[in-house]
Amino acid sequence: MSRIEIHGYAIVSDDERIADAAGRTPDVLRNEADWAYFQAELNRSEVTVLGRLGHEANPNPRNRTRMILSSSSRGIERRPDGWWWNPGMLPWAEAIRMVLPHGGRVAVPGGRRVFDLFLDIGYDAFHLTRAEGILVPGGIALFSACEAGRSAEAVLSEAGLAPDPRQVIDPAGPVSLVVWRK
Ligand SMILES: NC(=O)c1ccc[n+]([C@@H]2O[C@H](COP(=O)([O-])OP(=O)(O)OC[C@H]3O[C@@H](n4cnc5c(N)ncnc54)[C@H](OP(=O)(O)O)[C@@H]3O)[C@@H](O)[C@H]2O)c1
């Protein structure tokens, strides 16, 4: 099979949350430097793989190719707004072969069930941005294992990834980025 490279992207609080209790991204997890980095990374990717709620909440003005996870798909379906995939009906290898028959780079921006699923499928890299000093009590965790008190770093390390050095992308906060690689 052609080479597929999978990259995860998240911005998290110190308590490993990606969204608030209502499932929305709070302002404290929005950062311009992180957004610019993420957009540049999406420009290097052939497809963005995300959950239905994230797809509906985030418009796609650049018309990038999306693959949307949803139980409403019967496997993999081409719809006007992207490829709709149900992992319970069709394995990843078969689904991505339809979308990227010649291989390429895949960006995975979540949410939590999607991040969990790709822990099993296997990340080649995970770009973990942290809004340092921020807490989002009762919010949605990056991985379900984080709900049980595990750190994002512990989960990524157990998944066979190792960290590059920490970079400060915004001194206000600060907001830092660590890229974890296989
Ligand atoms: N801070 C960050 O980096 C970050 C990252 C990601 C998301 N967010 C924020 O988090 C919120 C949304 O995240 P979320 O976790 O609540 O939702 P989500 O992952 O965007 O969407 C969840 C939906 O995706 C579908 N889905 C996910 N996994 C599936 C699976 N294995 N099989 C079938 N369908 C699956 C289901 O759709 P159906 O109901 O159609 O079956 C599910 O209801 C948004 O506010 C978003 O902006 C933040």
Side-chain angles (χ1 to χ4, degrees):
M1 186 185 150
S2 311
R3 170 94 179 115
I4 296 289
E5 206 180 294
I6 301 172
H7 290 246
Y9 298 89
I11 179 167
V12 299
S13 55
D14 272 348
D15 51 353
E16 323 294 356
R17 306 293 136 166
I18 58 169
D20 65 16
R24 286 184 299 259
T25 305
D27 287 344
V28 288
L29 289 182
R30 293 186 195 276
N31 176 267
E32 272 182 35
D34 175 63
W35 185 252
Y37 176 81
F38 176 53
Q39 293 300 312
E41 287 288 305
L42 290 184
N43 289 342
R44 302 175 58 195
S45 308
E46 273 73 41
V47 62
T48 309
V49 180
L50 74 176
R52 178 182 59 82
L53 295 176
H55 169 65
E56 289 172 352
N58 294 285
N60 186 10
R62 304 188 71 154
N63 217 12
R64 295 188 176 102
T65 304
R66 284 185 172 179
M67 195 170 172
I68 301 117
L69 277 83
S70 173
S71 57
S72 75
S73 171
R74 278 165 301 173
I76 185 96
E77 294 170 19
R78 189 94 164 112
R79 298 185 192 169
D81 54 352
W83 294 88
W84 285 67
W85 173 45
N86 182 348
M89 304 280 278
L90 189 77
W92 166 248
E94 286 177 47
I96 195 62
R97 200 176 300 138
M98 289 288 292
V99 177
L100 295 181
H102 305 296
R105 186 159 159 168
V106 174
V108 179
R112 186 189 54 203
R113 283 176 64 199
V114 182
F115 286 133
D116 275 347
L117 179 75
F118 278 89
L119 277 176
D120 290 331
I121 292 168
Y123 292 104
D124 294 285
F126 199 99
H127 304 243
L128 182 67
T129 301
R130 195 174 283 282
E132 297 185 11
I134 296 295
L135 296 175
V136 184
I140 297 178
L142 171 62
F143 299 117
S144 46
C146 299
E147 302 276 7
R150 311 233 49 178
S151 68
E153 287 81 1
V155 174
L156 292 169
S157 175
E158 275 160 29
L161 304 177
D164 283 354
R166 167 180 173 272
Q167 310 167 51
V168 173
I169 59 170
D170 187 344
V175 176
S176 61
L177 168 70
V178 176
V179 183
W180 289 71
R181 299 183 195 278
K182 199 155 85 179

